[in-house]
């Protein structure tokens, strides 16, 4: 599975700041094969980049500039609040936290294999773990171990943590959030806008269970709040229409928020093989930036 995914590079949609040469565009000019623009010659410029044909034709001195290529910082934010324990097992589907582990682990592996740096933040009602981005294979093992040990519990402070990360990730990065996003869509939009303002490339995997979408219960059920612990006994057939109306309103608001803020958003059902979700994500990014 990883070999198949590795055939499609992980690209950033925005120019990135890095510390070594890599696959991703930089906001700085460099010496890659990708032509960027012409600019007027100034004393001290490398004469090898002088556009001699333009000089002969116009008598004016222009220099060719090229895109610089750099490496990427890929920062994963994995929701480990109590609701991520949920998984109905529909058609062999995973729990949300197991699906999140596989998504983040596979993407992290692919990033390190192409020379990029990977970091991880796990968040519930507090920041459970924060691992800075590094790009060596030994560091990746630390990320894997942390994902494996992550236990979903408590409420979620996803919104304040996202605002904090938008400020503390100093250089432009690809930030990948994996969550069920049980937060108010307007608050989430503010987080997305913050990341965009800071020039980060933001991607979001919205994990959903088939049972959440269908609400296909046939008898009275006790519904438990996995983040707060409270519960209610209800007759599903009496509340199904209101539930679906609220769900559609919520999903519409989320989609509107990501559309307005340019987030690379993927709603994923946890019964879908995770390699298919990842391939869709990778191919979509390749199409956006073009094959280089």
């Amino acid at each position: 599975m990883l070999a198949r995914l590795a055939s499609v590079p992980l690209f950033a949609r925005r120019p990135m700041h890095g510390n070594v040469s890599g696959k991703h565009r930089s906001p700085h000019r460099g010496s890659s094969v990708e032509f960027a623009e012409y600019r007027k010659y100034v004393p001290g410029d490398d004469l090898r980049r002088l556009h001699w044909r333009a000089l002969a034709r116009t008598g004016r001195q222009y220099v060719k500039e090229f895109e610089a290529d750099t490496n990427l910082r890929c920062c994963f934010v994995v929701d480990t609040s109590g609701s991520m324990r949920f998984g109905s097992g529909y058609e062999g589907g995973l729990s949300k936290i197991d699906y999140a582990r596989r998504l983040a682990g596979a993407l992290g592996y692919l990033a390190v294999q192409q020379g990029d740096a990977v970091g991880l933040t796990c968040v519930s009602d507090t920041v459970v773990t924060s691992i800075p981005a590094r790009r060596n294979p030994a560091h990746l093992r630390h990320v894997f171990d942390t994902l494996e040990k992550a236990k979903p519990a408590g409420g979620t402070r996803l919104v304040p943590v996202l605002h904090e990360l938008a400020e503390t990730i100093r250089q432009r990065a690809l930030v990948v959030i994996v969550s069920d996003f049980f937060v108010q869509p307007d608050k989430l939009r503010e987080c997305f806008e913050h990341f965009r303002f800071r020039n980060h490339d933001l991607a979001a995997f919205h994990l959903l269970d088939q049972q959440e979408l269908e609400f296909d219960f046939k008898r009275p059920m006790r519904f438990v709040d996995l983040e707060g612990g409270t519960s209610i006994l209800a007759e599903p057939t009496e509340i199904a229409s209101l539930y679906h109306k609220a769900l559609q309103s919520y999903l519409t608001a989320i989609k509107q928020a990501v559309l307005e803020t340019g987030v690379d958003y993927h709603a994923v059902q946890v019964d879908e093989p995770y390699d298919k979700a990842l391939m869709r994500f990778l191919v979509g990014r390749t199409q956006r930036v073009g094959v280089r």
Side-chain angles (χ1 to χ4, degrees):
M1 183 272 289
L2 287 174
R4 185 170 67 255
L5 291 172
S7 65
V8 185
L10 171 60
F11 283 121
R13 297 178 304 162
R14 293 171 177 263
M16 291 287 122
H17 287 290
N19 52 14
V20 297
S21 179
K23 292 178 175 289
H24 311 281
R25 288 180 299 135
S26 167
H28 306 296
R29 299 304 184 200
S31 57
S32 80
V33 297
E34 295 291 327
F35 173 74
E37 63 183 3
Y38 294 110
R39 67 167 174 78
K40 289 184 178 180
Y41 171 84
V42 294
D45 281 337
D46 188 345
L47 291 178
R48 291 174 296 179
R49 297 194 322 195
L50 194 67
H51 192 347
W52 295 102
R53 290 183 181 178
L55 177 62
R57 189 168 59 249
T58 66
R60 296 177 180 176
Q61 297 174 325
Y62 291 97
V63 172
K64 297 178 183 178
E65 289 208 325
F66 298 85
E67 296 282 2
D69 290 333
T70 189
N71 68 320
L72 171 75
R73 286 177 176 82
C74 186
C75 301
F76 292 98
V77 182
V78 176
D79 184 354
T80 58
S81 59
S83 61
M84 293 290 285
R85 286 205 320 264
F86 184 71
S88 65
Y90 180 84
E91 293 190 353
L94 302 168
S95 68
K96 293 178 181 179
I97 190 62
D98 284 336
Y99 204 95
R101 289 186 183 112
R102 286 162 171 77
L103 280 178
L107 271 180
Y109 173 84
L110 295 174
V112 169
Q113 288 298 110
Q114 67 181 31
D116 296 327
V118 171
L120 172 68
T121 299
C122 295
V123 55
S124 57
D125 51 4
T126 184
V127 176
V128 179
T129 306
S130 184
I131 302 174
R134 295 191 178 92
R135 62 190 188 93
N136 61 72
H139 174 73
L140 184 62
R141 170 49 58 187
H142 182 33
V143 171
F144 286 167
D145 289 343
T146 302
L147 285 169
E148 183 63 30
K149 294 175 183 176
K151 304 297 182 185
T156 179
R157 290 189 66 251
L158 185 64
V159 167
V161 169
L162 289 179
H163 279 299
E164 181 181 342
L165 288 174
E167 287 294 327
T168 56
I169 300 175
R170 295 181 181 179
Q171 294 182 320
R172 300 180 186 186
L174 167 60
V175 180
V176 181
I177 308 170
V178 188
S179 173
D180 52 11
F181 292 116
F182 281 160
V183 296
Q184 292 297 325
D186 58 333
K187 299 295 183 183
L188 203 56
R189 178 192 285 108
E190 293 173 2
C191 295
F192 295 162
E193 288 173 343
H194 196 169
F195 278 101
R196 183 171 65 170
F197 175 77
R198 300 288 294 180
N199 288 315
H200 296 300
D201 181 2
L202 187 61
F205 286 95
H206 189 175
L207 304 188
L208 300 161
D209 189 279
Q210 186 73 16
Q211 206 168 65
E212 292 174 321
L213 298 174
E214 293 187 353
F215 201 70
D216 188 21
F217 300 100
K218 304 300 184 184
R219 56 186 177 82
M221 300 288 294
R222 183 172 296 278
F223 297 96
V224 180
D225 178 1
L226 294 177
E227 296 190 1
T230 58
S231 65
I232 59 170
L233 182 64
E235 172 58 66
T237 57
E238 294 180 357
I239 63 173
S241 61
L242 290 175
Y243 174 85
H244 284 297
K245 183 178 180 180
L247 176 64
Q248 288 307 312
S249 176
Y250 162 76
L251 292 176
T252 298
I254 290 289
K255 291 175 182 176
Q256 186 65 29
V258 299
L259 183 65
E260 292 175 356
T261 54
V263 176
D264 187 7
Y265 173 79
H266 298 265
V268 181
Q269 293 180 208
V270 293
D271 57 295
E272 177 186 13
Y274 71 95
D275 57 316
K276 289 186 177 180
L278 285 175
M279 183 60 77
R280 190 165 61 244
F281 170 75
L282 294 170
V283 170
R285 288 181 159 258
T286 301
Q287 292 172 343
R288 288 188 184 99
V289 301
V291 179
R292 302 185 66 193

